Amino acid sequence: MNLLQLHINRLLVCGVAIAAAGTACGATNGIELVCRENWGTVFADRDVELHLQVRSGEEFQGRALVEWSAGGHAFARRELNVTAGPQRAAELTIAVHIPPLRPGVRFPVNVAVALVPAASQGVVAAWQKELLAFPDDPFVDRRDWVKG
């Protein structure tokens, strides 16, 4: 089991809520992750960027563990260094190439981010969002329906 999955599993077992809708979520330690994008769909076989902000009431230095998955299988993982504090939020850009899809297929893609302090292995905040991936032509199997 990889480090990110271990942290996310530990977070779920401990009962810290992960925001399925992609809203801000943090533990009681005053650290939270907020996504700037509020859209929930992407096109397959394209690059996608999400922008997150790490807000902290205290000095925070650590890593953001990022995992993109589809169908229960990870297709991209990243680690980003994070430094945030009361007067400065950290800006994270999470980029990935969404894999191609066959015409007519719509597929959920999940992105999960866990914040881990440099001094420990425990997750202090997490964020998760499900995006729906469409092929280039999402109406390929509904031409008659689109004509009206």
Side-chain angles (χ1 to χ4, degrees), residues 33 40 117:
L33 285 163

Side-chain angles (χ1 to χ4, degrees), residues 61-104:
Q61 194 165 18
R63 297 170 309 184
L65 307 175
V66 182
E67 180 176 88
W68 292 83
S69 62
H73 301 283
F75 62 86
R77 291 188 179 103
R78 307 275 186 276
E79 279 193 24
L80 303 168
N81 291 324
V82 178
T83 302
Q87 302 301 318
R88 66 187 187 313
E91 302 288 333
L92 302 178
T93 299
I94 301 168
V96 73
H97 184 81
I98 303 293
L101 290 173
R102 291 185 306 224

Side-chain angles (χ1 to χ4, degrees), residues 31-52:
I31 298 173
E32 65 178 354
L33 285 163
V34 180
C35 184
R36 291 186 172 192
E37 289 79 15
N38 60 2
W39 40 263
T41 57
V42 294
F43 282 103
D45 204 20
R46 296 206 181 138
D47 293 331
V48 172
E49 273 190 3
L50 288 174
H51 302 92
L52 279 79

